[in-house]
Amino acid sequence: MAHSTDHHENEHAMSLAERAAFALLPFSGLGLLVFLLLSRELPFALALPWVPSLDLTLGFRIDGLSALMLLLITGVGSAVFVYAGGYLAGHRHQRRVLALLSAFMLAMIGAVTADQLVLVFVFWELTSLLSYLLVGFDHESAASRGAAKQAMLVTGAGGLALLAGLILLGQAAETSSLSGLVARGAELADDTRARIGVVLVMLGCFTKSAQFPFHFWLPGAMSAPTPVSAYLHSATMVKLGVYLLARLDPAFGEWPFWRMALTGVGTLTSAWAMILVLGERDLKRILAWSTVSALGAMVMLVGLRGEGSATAVGAFMLAHALYKAPLFFVAGNVDHGTGTRDISRLGGLRRAMPFTATAAVLAAVGMAGLPLSFGYVAKAVVLNAKREEEILAIVSYGSLFVGAVSVAVAAVASIRLFFRSAPEGGTVDAHEGGISLVLPPILVATIGIVFGVRPWLIEGLLGQVARSLTPGPGGPVVDLELELGQVFYSVAGTIAAGAVVFFVWEPLHRVVERGGALLRPYGAQAFYERALGDLVKSAAWLTRRVQHGRGSLYAAVLVFAIVLALGLAFAPGASSLAWPAPTSVELPVLAALTTISAGALLACVLETRLVLLLASGLVGYGSALLFLFTGAPDLAFTQFAVETAFVIVVATVLIELERRRRARSLLEPRVRPFAALVSLGFGGLLGALLLAVSALPFDDTLSRFYAAHSLPDAHGRNVVNVVIVDFRGLDTLGESAVVVFSFLAALPLVAALKKRRKEATP
Amino acid sequence: MSPRSLMLEVAGRTLYWLLLAASLWVLYRGHNLPGGGFIGGLVAVSATVVCAVSQSTELARRRLLFGDPRVLAASGVLASLLSGVVGWLAGEPFLTHPWVSIPLGVGSFDVSSVLVFDLGVYLAVWGAVGGYALLLLELEPAHDDGGSP
Amino acid sequence: MSFALALTVSIVAACGAYLALSRDVLRCVLGLAILGSAVNLLLFAAGRVDSPAPAILRAGESTLEASANPLPQALVLTAIVIGFVLTCFSLVLVLRVVHTSESDDLDALRDAEPPPTDPEAPPVEPDT
């Protein structure tokens, strides 16, 4: 593997042994899977207790569909790990890529085997997160960061929709397991929660599998290193959406809405992506759009009814992985060997890159669906599935178009790059990569051919897939050999149409490019960018409104919220409240109350601070009088003493402040409407509360207890004092401690003040 | 030191001791008549404020028990706390105040740790609130020699 | 009686809140003190005000007959003292603020949230 000519060796380079150690992970996974498939009967379930008190288990379940996904994850994964070892050899962050890929692989394995709904979501989001890190791998490039953010936002938002949907579905079906949900799904047709849940889950799956109108993030994600694109954005992660839709299909497949949405969105995505592919020059983006198209086709297949469609989904998934992963490797090799991925600058590479050319041809044969490839088998199965159901004419025409452009793309990736002569001024300086760059694509593409020639090798697994996608016991019989002959003419027609598209590729490209430029301002990508920009702008706008920095308004809003919350808590019971019985007010009490109110009102309208202080003193002295006249002499004394000390101290401070003009008197509007409204609400609420309380019968058990036990138990005649120092002594201890702590806390504040003054006065 | 009114100063001198004596009396009678630690403490604070305003804050501070409001306040909380231990040592819950009757010939004199508790409240309030008052009042004299910044 | 008390509590609370919501920091402190008084009154009145006799056992009596309710009094008494201490603390804080910022306008205190440099744009350009 000493091919890394343009990556100069440095101290960060990984040794061959280290790279091999990383590759051990997918290989051992693959080995384990094959062993499991050969030795165990599917489905294979595993449940570990997690939070037994909440009835949560870590449930895992492997059936045919999971096994197929696992095969892709570990099988393609093995190729990707070997390829990445060579492709990024000498790169200083190669370790990071391999570590992230390992973590991603484990998350994928978790996602396709988890049977617990929350667990499905957790692994699902983990794959999104790892995809973000891998797409943004080249973090010094702004485009790369933007693409990573876009992929993360789209799939992350979809993930949240998925979580909400799974929770709703779980509640509707009263289960926390995926298999339980599938088993009970048919009963949920009339449940509103289930309907909303299904829509949300669909949203999650559509974003993950890049379905229209969320298709735009996938080509952007091509800024990831090529092995990552081959693995995440073609073979495995983007198929998670299809996987989950297929998994849920037995439950909801009979809903007309489900079928309409899946076939509609799938067909639209498939066709639209094939139009967009014609507008591209970058080989990886071309492959990305054709992946989007394939995903659309898979979603459409899931939406079809009938037993054939179950087989078709599995066969197409496998076929797609077997030809698309090698094509990505080919794109990576071309990039590596020539320094460009622009197809208009490339051609005639077969002499310089013979092994890559071989791989490209083998894979392209599969993609075009030529006989003797597994692509052909998959095509046959898909056509068979469509025949089982009456399909709208537009869907069939769409399929023909999609098939034709697929063939053309396959031809571009093989014939045009390797066998046509290079265009004027194109790159001719090319070299072949090392064995770890050429072996994975050739091997994977060859497996595609082997399965094409000997389809029965994979028949058992596809039968298991079909069984896990079919409601009820048993499953369809899958016989791949029989169907091949029947579809030959159909395939031949598609290839003929594809050849036409290939030869008029350049004119088509110019048309689509021009049309795309016209449509771009209205496209999903532009919408995303506008929405993101508006989001930031509106966040800035909102922040400026909410965090305006004006302390008095903060306080007013705070009190407003308190009034509102109290009012709302108070309102429902308001009708059952009674007015208290009116009783006469004695003259001294009335005088005290008048003093209090007058003081408070004066304090609001007065402007001179010192007079304002005296007015507020009236509130205190009035309260003291009130206490005196209503049998509370202790309170009266306390209030008198406090008020006197308060007025003397504050007056001293105020006089000083005025004299020194340290505090400018503040010009404030005489009437502050919002504050007045909030204050009136607050006061009214407290008054209403007091009235409501006064009307209730009074429970004086505790007071009578204190009165009865004061003398015999505590030797005191002043019940108030006895309550303070004896019955509630611990409270009082705490309160006196609070008083002392408050004083101690004020000391450093004042000390700093004094120091400042000393500095200010030489 | 700014010049003070002579009358205020003379009256303040007398008033201080009168108020202090009153505060102790209020504290003592509090268990049976209006009064107690909080009120007594606040009356003592008024005494301190009167002294500070009529004479000087330094003098008022010196005249506080222990000469330092921090020590005074802390000793109050400590006294309250320790008074609770008495009952606890006697096997009762914390802050249960046992009463002991001391015979004095014809009558008897009842004493209890609850008096210490109330005294603690008195000291804490005097120290802390009086300390606050002194802090705020003390902000004044330093101004006299400086213009506004 | 209840109506007069409720009205007084409403007025005092409203005035206290109005003052506390002022931009003038010293008014805030006074508003806080008045709010404290309102709450004390509320608590006191909620324990029923129906007898002018203090809750004190006269010589010879061993239980109280008709008298004011001692329980809210005990609660309010400590609340008055604590309220006073709270007011003192806020006063010290306010004085400190006035001296540090040379302003007694609450809305002029912008150290924690300085005014935005640009009236429209977000503080940092989004990564595009």
Side-chain angles (χ1 to χ4, degrees):
Chain A
M1 273 188 238
H3 59 84
S4 50
T5 44
D6 49 357
H7 295 301
H8 53 88
E9 295 292 329
N10 55 33
E11 70 269 30
H12 303 289
M14 293 172 78
S15 66
L16 178 61
E18 205 176 345
R19 278 183 263 161
F22 269 111
L24 213 56
L25 185 69
F27 276 112
S28 53
L30 183 61
L32 192 67
L33 178 72
V34 171
F35 171 74
L36 195 75
L37 288 179
L38 293 178
S39 64
R40 297 267 190 152
E41 192 70 24
L42 291 177
F44 172 69
L46 175 74
L48 305 167
W50 186 15
V51 189
S53 56
L54 289 177
D55 197 24
L56 283 179
T57 46
L58 289 176
F60 295 95
R61 191 167 175 276
I62 301 176
D63 60 2
L65 184 61
S66 299
L68 175 65
M69 288 297 288
L70 286 175
L71 194 64
L72 299 186
I73 293 163
T74 54
V76 178
S78 301
V80 163
F81 272 67
V82 171
Y83 186 81
Y87 187 76
L88 290 165
H91 194 288
R92 64 200 170 97
H93 292 315
Q94 186 180 20
R95 252 183 220 93
R96 187 191 296 169
V97 172
L98 285 174
L100 286 172
L101 279 175
S102 305
F104 169 80
M105 198 181 89
L106 294 175
M108 265 317 284
I109 290 174
V112 299
T113 55
D115 193 35
Q116 218 276 335
L117 292 176
V118 177
L119 218 50
V120 172
F121 165 76
V122 168
F123 285 121
W124 181 289
E125 286 295 67
L126 269 178
T127 63
S128 290
L129 192 67
L130 289 161
S131 161
Y132 168 75
L133 293 171
L134 284 164
V135 173
F137 170 69
D138 182 13
H139 57 84
E140 284 168 19
S141 135
S144 192
R145 290 199 303 273
K149 188 167 71 181
Q150 174 173 299
M152 181 67 185
L153 284 177
V154 174
T155 57
L160 290 179
L162 175 79
L163 175 65
L166 287 179
I167 289 173
L168 279 173
L169 285 175
Q171 281 186 345
E174 290 168 358
T175 177
S176 63
S177 78
L178 203 51
S179 48
L181 176 63
V182 172
R184 294 212 47 202
E187 307 162 27
L188 301 175
D190 294 326
D191 194 318
T192 314
R193 280 178 303 178
R195 287 181 189 185
I196 299 172
V198 162
V199 172
L200 290 171
V201 168
M202 268 186 197
L203 277 178
C205 294
F206 287 170
T207 52
K208 196 75 163 179
S209 286
Q211 297 300 293
F212 188 88
F214 311 112
H215 56 290
F216 57 92
W217 72 264
L218 189 55
M222 290 301 126
S223 60
T226 300
V228 172
S229 305
Y231 195 30
L232 275 70
H233 305 118
S234 169
T236 59
M237 188 186 83
V238 289
K239 291 203 173 90
L240 256 188
V242 178
Y243 160 80
L244 191 61
L245 289 172
R247 162 82 61 231
L248 293 174
D249 186 56
F252 308 114
E254 292 303 312
W255 294 17
F257 168 72
W258 174 270
R259 295 202 307 270
M260 298 268 290
L262 261 51
T263 48
V265 170
T267 308
L268 181 61
T269 307
S270 185
W272 183 236
M274 276 316 186
I275 294 174
L276 293 177
V277 78
L278 293 168
E280 295 291 349
R281 287 265 163 219
D282 182 326
L283 184 56
K284 270 183 83 178
R285 286 180 69 90
I286 289 173
L287 293 177
W289 281 123
S290 88
T291 303
V292 172
S293 175
L295 291 168
M298 287 177 209
V299 168
M300 187 265 291
L301 284 174
V302 171
L304 294 183
R305 293 164 78 197
E307 297 178 338
S309 77
T311 320
V313 173
F316 193 21
M317 263 191 191
L318 181 61
H320 179 255
L322 288 178
Y323 67 70
K324 195 53 74 57
L327 285 178
F328 268 107
F329 293 147
V330 166
N333 283 357
V334 168
D335 194 9
H336 190 265
T338 65
T340 181
R341 298 194 306 244
D342 186 342
I343 56 165
S344 56
R345 296 177 58 201
L346 293 166
L349 293 171
R350 74 176 183 284
R351 277 187 208 88
M353 307 176 77
F355 298 109
T356 307
T358 312
V361 169
L362 290 175
V365 164
M367 182 169 182
L370 295 179
L372 295 186
S373 74
F374 190 66
Y376 179 73
V377 177
K379 227 164 208 182
V381 178
V382 169
L383 285 169
N384 200 40
K386 286 181 183 163
R387 203 176 298 142
E388 277 185 22
E389 190 172 9
E390 269 189 37
I391 298 180
L392 292 171
I394 190 160
V395 175
S396 333
Y397 290 131
S399 302
L400 179 66
F401 171 70
V402 168
V405 183
S406 286
V407 172
V409 168
V412 165
S414 52
I415 297 172
R416 176 164 174 168
L417 288 193
F418 293 95
F419 297 97
R420 264 197 188 172
S421 55
E424 294 278 319
T427 319
V428 281
D429 184 24
H431 64 270
E432 186 69 286
I435 188 164
S436 65
L437 288 189
V438 295
L439 200 56
I442 290 179
L443 261 183
V444 176
T446 307
I447 292 173
I449 302 298
V450 170
F451 282 164
V453 179
R454 296 271 178 273
W456 49 266
L457 280 172
I458 201 72
E459 215 170 62
L461 182 61
L462 290 180
Q464 290 286 357
V465 174
R467 189 165 306 151
S468 59
L469 295 187
T470 314
V477 179
V478 178
D479 190 346
L480 297 174
E481 300 273 10
L482 270 181
E483 293 155 355
L484 298 187
Q486 303 167 1
V487 292
F488 181 78
Y489 293 107
S490 165
V491 169
T494 311
I495 288 169
V500 172
V501 174
F502 175 65
F503 284 113
V504 293
W505 181 278
E506 282 305 316
L508 278 177
H509 171 75
R510 281 192 291 275
V511 170
V512 172
E513 203 173 38
R514 219 167 292 149
L518 287 176
L519 284 175
R520 197 156 293 129
Y522 314 102
Q525 174 73 37
F527 176 79
Y528 163 84
E529 275 160 16
R530 265 202 308 276
L532 199 64
D534 290 348
L535 187 73
V536 175
K537 254 186 242 157
S538 54
W541 180 86
L542 191 67
T543 307
R544 241 156 247 167
R545 297 298 172 288
V546 176
Q547 272 181 287
H548 40 68
R550 290 171 53 198
S552 61
L553 198 51
Y554 285 153
V557 170
L558 201 71
V559 178
F560 179 71
I562 291 171
V563 171
L564 204 66
L566 277 180
L568 287 178
F570 198 47
S575 55
S576 65
L577 295 173
W579 293 104
T583 48
S584 63
V585 187
E586 282 161 49
L587 199 61
V589 174
L590 193 63
L593 292 178
T594 314
T595 314
I596 296 172
S597 307
L601 288 170
L602 274 174
C604 281
V605 293
L606 288 172
E607 299 218 315
T608 316
R609 283 197 184 122
L610 205 55
V611 191
L612 194 152
L613 171 70
L614 294 177
S616 81
L618 275 186
V619 177
Y621 286 121
S623 303
L625 283 177
L626 175 72
F627 295 143
L628 199 60
F629 298 139
T630 51
D634 291 282
L635 289 190
F637 285 162
T638 313
Q639 188 83 61
F640 271 127
V642 158
E643 215 54 45
T644 309
F646 180 66
V647 170
I648 292 178
V649 169
V650 179
T652 318
V653 172
L654 279 183
I655 290 169
E656 186 52 34
L657 283 176
E658 300 282 324
R659 194 164 67 79
R660 310 240 319 151
R661 296 179 199 283
R662 281 306 279 254
R664 291 174 285 107
S665 52
L666 197 65
L667 288 175
E668 206 173 18
R670 191 176 277 269
V671 180
R672 294 167 280 133
F674 183 56
L677 189 77
V678 168
S679 309
L680 279 178
F682 184 67
L685 206 62
L686 283 195
L689 191 68
L690 180 55
L691 276 182
V693 167
S694 304
L696 294 173
F698 186 52
D699 178 5
D700 60 350
T701 321
L702 197 57
S703 307
R704 274 194 284 116
F705 169 86
Y706 287 142
H709 288 76
S710 176
L711 192 59
D713 288 0
H715 303 259
R717 292 181 174 280
N718 181 358
V719 183
V720 176
N721 184 260
V722 169
V723 170
I724 290 176
V725 298
D726 206 324
F727 290 131
R728 305 202 55 81
L730 196 60
D731 282 1
T732 310
L733 184 62
E735 279 150 5
S736 61
V738 167
V739 170
V740 173
F741 288 146
S742 151
F743 169 59
L744 295 179
L747 282 172
L749 287 173
V750 177
L753 258 180
K754 283 184 184 161
K755 196 174 155 207
R756 192 175 278 270
R757 284 202 178 152
K758 256 178 209 147
E759 283 164 3
T761 55
Chain B
M1 185 64 46
S2 56
R4 304 261 175 196
S5 138
L6 183 68
M7 221 167 83
L8 185 66
E9 199 173 328
V10 172
R13 247 172 231 177
T14 336
L15 205 56
Y16 177 77
W17 297 111
L18 267 177
L19 280 172
L20 213 56
S23 76
L24 285 171
W25 176 68
V26 167
L27 165 70
Y28 171 72
R29 68 168 214 156
H31 215 53
N32 294 314
L33 289 165
F38 278 109
I39 305 175
L42 286 169
V43 175
V45 171
S46 343
T48 300
V49 169
V50 164
C51 178
V53 172
S54 66
Q55 285 158 289
S56 76
T57 48
E58 286 87 15
L59 184 67
R61 182 182 289 274
R62 272 203 307 279
R63 277 187 181 164
L64 288 178
L65 214 55
F66 309 119
D68 186 335
R70 289 172 298 180
V71 181
L72 180 57
S75 67
V77 176
L78 200 65
S80 297
L81 203 65
L82 289 178
S83 79
V85 178
V86 176
W88 184 59
L89 289 178
E92 301 273 343
F94 179 63
L95 283 175
T96 309
H97 299 295
W99 283 83
V100 180
S101 204
I102 300 171
L104 284 176
V106 271
S108 65
F109 185 68
D110 292 351
V111 288
S112 163
S113 55
V114 80
L115 295 176
V116 180
F117 185 88
D118 222 3
L119 179 71
V121 173
Y122 170 91
L123 296 177
V125 170
W126 189 20
V129 181
Y132 257 125
L134 288 178
L135 277 186
L136 293 167
L137 292 175
E138 265 169 3
L139 291 177
E140 182 197 2
H143 296 184
D144 289 333
D145 47 354
S148 71
Chain C
M1 189 72 168
S2 310
F3 291 96
L5 280 171
L7 183 66
T8 310
V9 167
S10 294
I11 291 175
V12 178
C15 292
Y18 187 70
L19 274 178
L21 296 180
S22 163
R23 278 168 62 188
D24 184 327
V25 282
L26 275 158
R27 268 192 202 155
C28 287
V29 172
L30 290 178
L32 218 58
I34 292 178
L35 260 182
S37 297
V39 172
N40 288 341
L41 284 176
L42 177 77
L43 198 58
F44 182 69
R48 303 295 187 277
V49 182
D50 43 17
S51 168
I56 292 173
L57 297 161
R58 272 173 291 261
E61 282 179 353
S62 65
T63 50
L64 276 177
E65 293 308 317
S67 83
N69 186 356
L71 185 57
Q73 292 190 23
L75 299 180
V76 171
L77 198 151
T78 47
I80 291 172
V81 177
I82 295 216
F84 176 59
V85 171
L86 174 77
T87 312
C88 284
F89 190 76
S90 11
L91 194 64
V92 169
L93 267 183
V94 156
L95 287 175
R96 177 75 196 272
V97 165
V98 169
H99 278 274
T100 349
S101 67
E102 296 295 329
S103 162
D104 54 357
D105 183 354
L106 194 59
D107 290 355
L109 307 177
R110 297 296 296 262
D111 279 356
E113 284 176 27
T117 44
D118 185 309
E120 289 262 330
V124 181
E125 275 300 308
D127 181 6
T128 44

